[in-house]
Amino acid sequence: MAAVICIDSSELILKDGARIIGNKADHGGGMRANNATVTITGCTIASNTAYDYGGGIDSEKGSVAIIGGTIERNTANRFGGGIYIDKDCTVELQNDASGNGVSLIGNTAAKGGGVFIEKDNTIFTINGSSCVTPSTGEDANKAGKNDVYLDDIGSGTSISRITVTGSLTPPGGIAARITPATYSTTTQVLDGSAVGTKYGKFTVTPNGSDVWKINDQGMLFLHEATVTGTDTSTDAWKKLKEAVTNVADGGTITINGKIKATSDTDNFGEILINKNLTIKGADKNNDKLDAYTLNRIIKVTGSGVTLTVKNLMLTGGKASDTATSEEEKNGSGVYVDSGSNLTMTASLIQGCTAGKDGGGIYTKGSMVTMTDSDIKKCEAKSGGAIYAFSNESPAPSVHITNGTIGGTDEEANKATGTDIDSGKGGGIFIQGNDSTLMLEGSATLTGNTAEKFGGGVYFDGGTFTMKGASRITPDTNKNDVYLDNLKMITLPDPLTGAAPVARITPALYGADKKVLTGSAVSTNYTKFTVTPEELSSGNTQDWKIKNDGMLHK
């Protein structure tokens, strides 16, 4: 069945509102041009059908200039619902004399609902206000629904491309939605002199649950990826590592289910984060990364790099005490390198064990921000839940809003070291001249234990601040706050938590020793208790805190 208009090795000019409507053919339902020069100005090509390809227009070799007008509701069973661009052909969409561009609307095909572009020596250019209008409603982001399909069959470039050389002002802001035959970070989908300023005028059809975008070089980049796993998966951890490699800086990885490390090939080893990323789940009780004690879970490294973790559980991390380097012994849940940052929201770290320090998190000259997040059942020689240390710039900072560090005896974090430099900070260990710890909102430490000092917190840093309803739940034999080297807790505002909010164990007792500072000390000092001093006689001496933050008997 032939097209209603067939042009072969000749020239055709259509203009002045010509209408090609409701026709059917095998190829080129409305028009078929072969080795021809065609100019179409201000015309309508609509509701045509091709049983094979080119519902509106089938163009092979030659050139087709479309100036203004509309190509809409055309259909091809295979390729190119609106326009099919075959090899050795140039098609350009241009504005008419009144500044009106070409509109492709509502065209459909198995591939390339709007336009299908073959790979061999084809050029498809969009200029002015022309637009292959992205589908909406139920058809939004669906391949074959008024999209532009870039084919990969033939010689030359990896796939066909859209050329952008001049002004581009599509009415809805988007000139076209692209469906590439190949999704890859090496795939170029745009070229031309204006790509660097017009790349944002194009979107990309999702590849399953993965979201791709286009950069200022016209190249694809992976912006959002989803990794799915179950308890029996043997390659989910490997897929996560691949996603971390492929997702671009500033992108997002969504975790669906349980991503478990196993001894299968490449399905284990720490997840190395060296760019800004968000890794998120929907529910920390269901979506998790489980290292199964095979390795540390995550390492964050790189100046200014931030890892954001949301609605996710990290569990089963292990930093072995037999590791060849000191670094590998620390931070079994997350190791945050100097100058990097970790942000956790509505997440949980549990069941992680470090051979040395930082069972849950080890931070070295970096910022850790936790909101509505918990750390439980983690162990290390010091810093069962969190270990922060550095005397160099930048200093580590730990900021916790809401959430719980510890819990019941079973959920408690532990500092288990027995040598001279360990056994400190069952919950949190902070050391370093300018290191900071901030607890605010309803942040709670409870049930944590240390073999030596500071079951709840060991603090030998710069500033330790408590605000709001934060509380380091006092316990007779655990979860205390150990203040080394005359350090103090800062109270800038009244505390709203129920007394007592903490039990302080000073490294040095004496009436000249100050343990609280800040403008709210005079109204909040009674909310703190002091661990009795153990005397050489075997007896103990009780101490309290005065309204100026000083100790007194």
Side-chain angles (χ1 to χ4, degrees), residues 41 53 61 84 95 99 122 125 130 151 222 228 326 328 348 364 403 408 420 481 506 510 538 551 553:
T41 303
Y53 48 79
K61 300 182 180 179
Y84 178 85
N95 282 2
T122 53
T125 304
S130 296
D151 196 28
L222 184 57
T228 299
E326 287 299 302
E328 292 173 340
L348 168 65
K364 178 184 178 183
T408 64
I420 190 170
V481 177
L551 292 177
K553 294 181 181 179

Side-chain angles (χ1 to χ4, degrees), residues 123-390:
I123 300 174
F124 176 54
T125 304
I126 303 179
N127 286 317
S129 60
S130 296
C131 178
V132 186
T133 307
S135 54
T136 59
E138 292 182 357
D139 291 337
N141 290 318
K142 287 186 178 180
K145 302 297 183 181
N146 213 59
D147 56 331
V148 177
Y149 185 88
L150 305 182
D151 196 28
D152 62 351
I153 299 175
S155 59
T157 60
S158 59
I159 64 171
S160 53
R161 301 170 183 172
I162 297 175
T163 300
V164 185
T165 58
S167 173
L168 199 58
T169 57
I174 301 299
R177 172 169 55 84
I178 295 172
T179 303
T182 304
Y183 288 85
S184 169
T185 55
T186 62
T187 297
Q188 184 171 355
V189 295
L190 301 176
D191 64 12
S193 59
V195 169
T197 57
K198 305 302 181 185
Y199 65 96
K201 304 287 186 180
F202 297 85
T203 62
V204 181
T205 303
N207 184 23
S209 57
D210 292 347
V211 176
W212 291 78
K213 293 188 176 183
I214 305 169
N215 67 18
D216 60 3
Q217 302 298 308
M219 306 293 291
L220 290 181
F221 69 89
L222 184 57
H223 181 64
E224 296 182 19
T226 297
V227 181
T228 299
T230 66
D231 196 51
T232 59
S233 298
T234 58
D235 62 353
W237 195 271
K238 176 183 177 181
K239 289 180 178 178
L240 174 57
K241 291 197 293 182
E242 291 171 349
V244 167
T245 298
N246 292 330
V247 170
D249 182 75
T252 299
I253 298 173
T254 298
I255 302 300
N256 181 16
K258 185 176 184 179
I259 309 302
K260 183 178 72 172
T262 69
S263 58
D264 296 276
T265 303
D266 295 329
N267 201 54
F268 58 89
E270 70 180 13
I271 307 297
L272 180 64
I273 308 294
N274 56 11
K275 54 193 166 187
N276 297 302
L277 280 182
T278 296
I279 302 180
K280 67 176 185 177
D283 182 346
K284 66 183 178 183
N285 295 310
N286 297 320
D287 302 320
K288 61 187 72 175
L289 309 184
D290 190 342
Y292 251 63
T293 71
L294 292 175
N295 47 257
R296 173 194 291 149
I297 301 173
I298 293 173
K299 179 180 178 180
V300 188
T301 186
S303 178
V305 168
T306 297
L307 169 65
T308 301
V309 176
K310 296 181 178 179
N311 303 311
L312 196 64
M313 181 193 300
L314 308 181
T315 186
K318 184 176 182 180
S320 175
D321 58 359
T322 61
T324 56
S325 72
E326 287 299 302
E327 176 186 303
E328 292 173 340
K329 298 177 183 179
N330 299 322
S332 54
V334 184
Y335 183 102
V336 192
D337 211 348
S338 180
S340 304
N341 307 296
L342 171 66
T343 299
M344 290 179 58
T345 303
S347 295
L348 168 65
I349 299 177
Q350 75 170 16
C352 296
T353 303
K356 195 169 185 289
D357 301 323
I361 298 171
Y362 181 99
T363 170
K364 178 184 178 183
S366 51
M367 179 177 292
V368 173
T369 304
M370 295 175 56
T371 304
D372 300 320
S373 297
D374 309 323
I375 303 179
K376 302 178 180 182
K377 302 180 183 180
C378 292
E379 294 186 15
K381 289 188 175 179
S382 285
I386 300 173
Y387 184 98
F389 169 75
S390 181

Side-chain angles (χ1 to χ4, degrees), residues 432-453:
N433 296 334
D434 297 314
S435 302
T436 62
L437 172 62
M438 166 78 80
L439 304 179
E440 64 176 325
S442 59
T444 302
L445 282 78
T446 186
N448 305 290
T449 64
E451 192 69 26
K452 291 187 177 180
F453 307 125

